[in-house]
Amino acid sequence: MIIDLRSDTVTKPTKGMLDAMMTAKVGDDVYKEDETINALEEKLAKQFGKTHALFFPTGTMANQAAIKLHTQPGDQVICDKYAHIFNYEGGGASFNSGVSCRLLDGNRGMFTAQQVVEAINPPDFYHSPLTTLVEVENTTNKGGGACWDFEEIKKIRTVCDEHQLGFHLDGARLWNALIAKNETALDYGKQFDTISVCLSKGLGCPVGSVLVGNEAFMEKAIRIRKIFGGGMRQAGFLAAAGIYALDHQFERLAEDHAKAKALETVLNTLDYIKKVEPVETNIIIFELNGKFTDADFNAKMSAHHIRLSDMGQGKKRIVTHHDYTNAMHEKFCEVLMSL
Ligand SMILES: *Cc1c(COP(=O)(O)O)cnc(C)c1O
């Protein structure tokens, strides 16, 4: 038994999901003739209260397309120093859109409206890059699955309105925040110009992300997706997994959160752990205190066929997910307590 807790992207489609995929009605989506893709896009546009949604092969491509929609080369994007768009998209913001990132020193990947105000370059001061976009991530990945305070998001929306800035949400794990905080997609649709969501994380799909927004922003999105090489053909087989997941595998995210909470409790009792970031969703970030070296701890985990992620600076990451069973959970807790 391999216990793979590196990411919630390691899941395999369930039987029900595979059946939905195999029986999907498909067509050529580049001609917008794939009825399953069209159905998924309509479903998500409606959920977020937006006019448009567009299917993408990856969350990275959806975020990169959003940055491209909102900016011109030379512009500056305000985001947190932990942001996925800055740390984990291969430098795509500068490569694809020719923009720089103004990094805010937030708390677990989250910042305040006041920090945004202070980071906006005066538009008439032509020496500095023109600020055009603010980007927020919810839940935060590097921040350990932390959820934003919705009131702060509303304040940032007001700042964006006052300064005519675009406002994009990297909602790769927004579903987890909605479950954890009892919020709705509609709440988020009202605040943001564009939102990317991943189907391939906690929802358990093999592939797929969606970008939602209103026509003013999204009319160019299909061209940008084509330029990035993301125009796919009979991709309805993948969209079918997304529709199935939204209908059948959304509520169960609460189980991942409960398991993560239980792991937090166990980790907090162990004499070789220095610190556990407070757990809110399905990500746990913790640090060792030196009783075991990093290599030692990793070797002990591999000996039990347990896989975790290294986040650098001595931090480890666990992500609970659909394929992390109760039996695996019991075994993992036993192993942690036995070291
Ligand atoms: C996973 C993730 C993405 C997108 O990743 P892909 O692997 O390209 O789908 C974007 N943002 C965050 C915060 C993520 O965790």
Side-chain angles (χ1 to χ4, degrees), residues 19-49:
D19 287 345
M21 294 170 75
M22 296 311 284
T23 54
K25 294 208 175 73
V26 298
D28 189 333
D29 184 49
V30 170
Y31 294 112
K32 297 305 289 167
E33 286 171 6
D34 187 305
E35 54 183 282
T36 311
I37 291 271
N38 292 342
L40 173 68
E41 290 175 349
E42 270 166 41
K43 187 179 174 77
L44 282 174
K46 196 163 163 231
Q47 268 192 24
F48 283 93

Side-chain angles (χ1 to χ4, degrees), residues 21-187:
M21 294 170 75
M22 296 311 284
T23 54
K25 294 208 175 73
V26 298
D28 189 333
D29 184 49
V30 170
Y31 294 112
K32 297 305 289 167
E33 286 171 6
D34 187 305
E35 54 183 282
T36 311
I37 291 271
N38 292 342
L40 173 68
E41 290 175 349
E42 270 166 41
K43 187 179 174 77
L44 282 174
K46 196 163 163 231
Q47 268 192 24
F48 283 93
K50 295 292 194 192
T51 60
H52 285 57
L54 198 62
F55 187 74
F56 280 81
T58 65
T60 298
M61 197 190 284
N63 281 334
Q64 291 299 317
I67 294 169
K68 187 79 194 143
L69 284 174
H70 287 284
T71 62
Q72 291 296 320
D75 288 356
Q76 194 160 69
V77 179
I78 294 175
C79 63
D80 190 87
K81 65 182 189 295
Y82 278 6
H84 193 277
I85 59 161
F86 177 75
N87 290 287
Y88 303 121
E89 300 190 3
S94 54
F95 187 91
N96 296 313
S97 297
V99 297
S100 56
C101 292
R102 176 72 166 266
L103 301 181
L104 300 183
D105 187 16
N107 172 31
R108 301 184 69 196
M110 300 172 293
F111 45 84
T112 64
Q114 187 52 36
Q115 282 179 289
V116 174
V117 170
E118 287 162 11
I120 299 169
N121 293 326
D124 51 353
F125 186 69
Y126 52 78
H127 304 267
S128 57
L130 184 66
T131 309
T132 48
L133 175 63
V134 178
E135 192 263 3
V136 153
E137 188 176 310
N138 198 19
T139 69
T140 64
N141 180 340
K142 204 172 159 66
C147 302
W148 274 74
D149 170 6
F150 196 72
E151 291 309 309
E152 203 61 42
I153 287 176
K154 286 200 221 161
K155 286 183 196 157
I156 297 174
R157 167 81 259 174
T158 306
V159 171
C160 289
D161 287 341
E162 284 166 5
H163 297 266
Q164 280 139 43
L165 308 177
F167 196 20
H168 173 67
L169 172 63
D170 175 353
R173 292 191 182 81
L174 183 64
W175 316 113
N176 297 85
L178 299 185
I179 289 279
K181 305 265 296 212
N182 201 17
E183 296 162 340
T184 68
L186 215 49
D187 296 336

